[in-house]
Amino acid sequence: MLAATVRVTRDLDAAEEAVQDAYVQALTRWQRDGVPAKPGAWLTTVARRTALNVIRRQRTLQAKLPLLLMDADDGGSSGSEGPIPDDRLRLIFTCCHPALAQEAQVALTLRLVCGVSTPDIAHAFLVAEPTLAARITRAKKKIASARIPYSVPSASDLPVRIDAVLTVIHLLYATGHTAHSGENLVRDELTGRALDLARMLRPLLPSEPETAGLLALLLVHQARRATRTDADGRLLRLEEQDRSRWDRTLIAEADRLVVGALRSGPPGRFALQAAIAALHAQAPSYAETDWPQILTLYDELLRRWPSPVVALNRAVAVSMVDGPGPALAVVTALEDDGRLAGYRYLPATKADLLLRLGRHAEAAQAYRAALALSDNAAEQEFLQDRLSRTPPS
């Protein structure tokens, strides 16, 4: 709906208001008259008519009227428009405008196009919620003041925007893969949406290795989906998961994509992450995981993408190759750095390393710190269980 309406308004705020008004009308009219046969088409038509009224009041009806021509039965989709086949993917490319800073592009798109909440986006960016909300507001103001056009980019312009688009899809999946808050570990509606977008993106830019890398990464994660929790919803660590239940078809598809991406030239951050995930998935058992190769890949990933989150994940591989002592030194340095303050996986990783070193009192303290930062019920239960199993000092 937003994608169809913003093509009319060329203004995100006006399009959002029109879409919200359509929902308000539906609440009243559907209760009275029943749900229409094609709810999506009904809502989109109402939203676009509302946008038309706004344009009329602004005395620009004649200029905008051609944009409103659509078949009410098509639900707002216009797959023949330009090189991008899907309305949502089209709007993601449109919002990822190079005139905006990339973090602003990604945050704005996740909020407006993908429906991710501001707290969840703030968590993904490791910033405070007010900071993230202000960033989105500034981006929208810049779009309006600089008169940045909301037009679908041409095929030749897609590569300039691809990194931001890949980041949007990756963070959308990550937000659903491990929900920041709530009762359930996974939000299937977000992971499913992200995987669909990644699949559509692959044939759109078949020569771009990172589109293959992202799709492979999501496929490997999706292959383990059914084994990440037990029948009671309890979180299971990688070593506890039943590998016989992993989807080998998805893993094989991901492996082919990884091989192709790595052969295409110097690997990007998504191809490297996919290669790491694929090594985990291909190991017959947790004990047979090729940790030295995983550490080598993390070294390259950290060189190409010097993120503190990557450094923290690399510390786990360091612990499996060199032991928990050197890994703890890495985690302590990240703690002192401060960029991961408030990131619950930092104290959780530290607790596991301290536990392996026999420093039980410090491990318990770190588990409590991780618990205080987690709002997800499945993670809280897992951390509480780890804390209760920590031997007294």
Side-chain angles (χ1 to χ4, degrees):
M1 289 174 60
L2 183 62
T5 308
V6 79
R7 290 202 301 272
V8 176
T9 64
R10 295 295 192 263
D11 180 280
L12 275 173
D13 286 327
E16 283 187 287
E17 290 178 8
V19 168
Q20 291 165 7
D21 184 74
Y23 280 121
V24 170
Q25 292 189 49
L27 286 171
T28 302
R29 293 177 60 179
W30 292 6
Q31 187 175 29
R32 183 189 67 210
D33 303 331
V35 178
K38 296 184 177 180
W42 190 98
L43 286 164
T44 303
T45 299
V46 171
R48 289 168 70 100
R49 284 175 180 167
T50 301
L52 172 58
N53 290 334
V54 172
I55 293 171
R56 182 182 290 116
R57 286 194 297 270
Q58 296 173 343
R59 301 176 183 275
T60 57
L61 174 62
Q62 293 304 314
K64 301 293 185 180
L65 187 59
L67 299 173
L68 300 176
L69 298 176
M70 81 173 244
D71 183 349
D73 289 338
D74 70 2
S77 176
S78 55
S80 62
E81 183 177 319
I84 307 173
D86 175 80
D87 242 349
R88 185 179 286 117
L89 187 59
R90 185 179 302 120
L91 189 54
I92 288 174
F93 268 100
T94 301
C95 286
C96 290
H97 196 286
L100 299 173
Q102 187 175 92
E103 285 195 349
Q105 296 174 36
V106 174
L108 184 70
T109 308
L110 284 169
R111 182 70 194 97
L112 297 183
V113 184
C114 302
V116 180
S117 68
T118 301
D120 285 344
I121 302 172
H123 173 73
F125 277 98
L126 304 178
V127 298
E129 185 178 342
T131 301
L132 192 283
R135 187 177 295 171
I136 292 175
T137 300
R138 286 195 299 271
K140 292 167 74 172
K141 286 181 178 178
K142 180 173 182 178
I143 288 168
S145 63
R147 299 181 181 273
I148 296 173
Y150 267 88
S151 56
V152 179
S154 65
S156 61
D157 290 332
L158 297 185
V160 178
R161 308 188 185 200
I162 187 60
D163 190 63
V165 172
L166 291 169
T167 302
V168 166
I169 297 173
H170 181 232
L171 289 179
L172 177 62
Y173 189 92
T175 302
H177 181 258
T178 304
H180 175 53
S181 59
E183 294 297 318
N184 299 319
L185 182 67
V186 178
R187 294 178 59 186
D188 287 321
E189 76 279 9
L190 297 184
T191 57
R193 189 183 308 165
L195 189 55
D196 287 344
L197 290 168
R199 283 199 179 280
M200 283 187 284
L201 192 59
R202 173 65 180 145
L204 185 64
L205 292 166
S207 61
E208 171 54 59
E210 284 288 75
T211 63
L214 176 65
L215 178 56
L217 177 62
L218 303 194
L219 288 171
V220 174
H221 287 319
Q222 197 70 9
R224 299 193 297 109
R225 163 70 183 88
T227 65
R228 294 183 63 224
T229 56
D230 64 14
D232 298 321
R234 186 178 67 90
L235 189 153
L236 298 176
R237 294 183 297 170
L238 190 60
E239 58 263 43
E240 298 172 319
Q241 295 175 17
D242 181 0
R243 296 179 179 233
S244 68
R245 295 178 57 206
W246 290 359
D247 190 326
R248 292 296 161 185
T249 301
L250 293 183
I251 292 172
E253 181 183 358
D255 185 58
R256 291 192 295 271
L257 289 166
V258 169
V259 170
L262 295 180
R263 286 176 175 172
S264 298
R269 58 189 175 110
F270 293 111
L272 287 167
Q273 290 178 85
I276 292 168
L279 279 174
H280 281 295
Q282 292 161 5
S285 67
Y286 186 78
E288 296 173 89
T289 302
D290 189 349
W291 287 108
Q293 181 62 32
I294 287 175
L295 181 56
T296 298
L297 288 169
Y298 266 123
D299 289 340
E300 180 64 16
L301 177 60
L302 190 60
R303 188 181 71 80
R304 292 183 175 274
W305 187 28
S307 158
V309 173
V310 173
L312 180 63
N313 293 337
R314 177 184 172 275
V316 176
V318 170
S319 77
M320 302 304 293
V321 175
D322 299 325
L328 182 61
V330 173
V331 172
T332 301
L334 288 170
E335 198 172 37
D336 294 339
D337 174 84
R339 285 180 292 170
L340 292 182
Y343 187 63
R344 61 193 186 273
Y345 300 124
L346 177 63
T349 303
K350 182 179 181 181
D352 285 346
L353 295 173
L354 289 166
L355 189 62
R356 289 170 58 185
L357 289 168
R359 296 161 61 175
H360 299 150
E362 295 171 86
Q365 184 179 0
Y367 279 131
R368 292 189 189 98
L371 263 170
L373 294 172
S374 179
D375 293 320
N376 180 278
E379 285 192 333
Q380 288 174 339
E381 183 181 357
F382 171 80
L383 290 169
Q384 187 61 56
D385 180 67
R386 297 286 290 175
L387 176 60
S388 66
R389 294 173 181 269
T390 301
S393 57

